Amino acid sequence: QSVLTQPPSVSGAPGQRVTISCTGSSSNIGAGYDVHWYQQLPGTAPKLLIYGNSNRPSGVPDRFSGSKSGTSASLAITGLQAEDEADYYCQSYDSSLSGSGVVFGGGTKLTVL
Amino acid sequence: EVQLVESGGGLVQPGGSLRLSCAASGFTFSSYSMNWVRQAPGKGLEWVSYISSSSSTIYYADSVKGRFTISRDNAKNSLYLQMNSLRAEDTAVYYCARGGSWSEYAFDYWGQGTLVTVSS
């Protein structure tokens, strides 16, 4: 069970907007640590989608956006497309963990109806 | 073009050992921290280990501490993970991932992964 909580699944029709939440606590997101998001298409390696809460790496469409408030973060996808069907993971740093403190959310499966 | 290519996975018996490698190209390997992240079949991502660019700082997840050893050879542009005393719960796809330019905690490039299966 991860310290970052994501809904197991979300769904939406093509063209719609969906959001994926990532809920943490005062030792991670709430402490001001950045949140990063990854997209994992079926059978492939994860890909960095959003870094530093709201920044998109080069090549990531602006349909993807990230935000953070308090102890939570969100990934929004607008103009949903069939190729967006994937697993999405949030990641942050947790000061209560030993080691590097890197922690992933449990992941959210996005289904495009 | 940045490339990370893992190798060394396979089937190993419980209690056995395996050494994973990650060959890096397309960037100045010695300037970046590196990580191993694993994904058990049908499960989510789990960070395993971190090594700084100069190998001066190393971290492990509690689940592998004392059994796994991360290392790197900057002259050979390679990252390694020595896995000893393997358990069934170590079965997973193992990815090497680069610490990002903006933040080393944002992993900006990943390899394709190598499957480790621990079973008798």
Side-chain angles (χ1 to χ4, degrees):
Chain A
Q1 189 162 339
S2 177
V3 299
L4 301 179
T5 301
Q6 298 180 233
S9 63
V10 298
S11 63
Q16 284 190 333
R17 178 182 187 270
V18 297
T19 61
I20 298 172
S21 61
C22 176
T23 303
S25 67
S26 58
S27 62
N28 43 68
I29 298 174
Y33 296 113
D34 287 323
V35 178
H36 317 297
W37 290 90
Y38 299 87
Q39 177 192 57
Q40 186 175 32
L41 297 169
T44 70
K47 167 192 168 184
L48 181 64
L49 198 63
I50 297 287
Y51 67 91
N53 307 313
S54 59
N55 301 287
R56 282 176 286 106
S58 173
V60 174
D62 58 7
R63 301 186 297 104
F64 296 91
S65 63
S67 63
K68 188 182 92 165
S69 178
T71 58
S72 295
S74 290
L75 172 70
I77 309 172
T78 58
L80 204 57
Q81 299 179 4
E83 56 261 38
D84 298 333
E85 189 160 288
D87 293 323
Y88 293 84
Y89 295 90
C90 61
Q91 179 219 332
S92 186
Y93 174 90
D94 192 294
S95 60
S96 70
L97 298 178
S98 59
S100 77
V102 171
V103 61
F104 288 97
T108 297
K109 181 175 180 58
L110 168 63
T111 300
V112 180
L113 301 172
Chain B
E1 177 195 6
V2 172
Q3 280 199 315
L4 298 171
V5 179
E6 301 95 336
S7 61
L11 175 64
V12 61
Q13 292 188 338
S17 298
L18 214 54
R19 189 194 195 208
L20 305 184
S21 298
C22 171
S25 62
F27 66 102
T28 304
F29 181 70
S30 60
S31 297
Y32 292 85
S33 62
M34 297 295 295
N35 298 265
W36 287 99
V37 178
R38 69 184 180 183
Q39 186 170 35
K43 302 297 185 182
L45 302 174
E46 180 189 14
W47 170 81
V48 172
S49 186
Y50 159 97
I51 186 168
S52 63
S53 57
S54 64
S55 304
S56 59
T57 303
I58 286 174
Y59 298 118
Y60 298 99
D62 287 345
S63 56
V64 307
K65 198 175 297 181
R67 300 187 299 120
F68 289 12
T69 302
I70 191 172
S71 63
R72 64 189 296 164
D73 186 335
N74 287 342
K76 294 183 177 180
N77 292 335
S78 293
L79 174 73
Y80 307 102
L81 186 68
Q82 177 66 43
M83 304 186 296
N84 299 330
S85 303
L86 283 162
R87 307 166 179 166
E89 54 264 36
D90 295 319
T91 294
V93 173
Y94 285 74
Y95 298 101
C96 62
R98 190 182 84 166
S101 303
W102 183 85
S103 162
E104 63 176 348
Y105 294 115
F107 304 157
D108 60 357
Y109 288 94
W110 298 61
Q112 85 289 350
T114 186
L115 176 62
V116 172
T117 303
V118 184
S119 175
S120 55

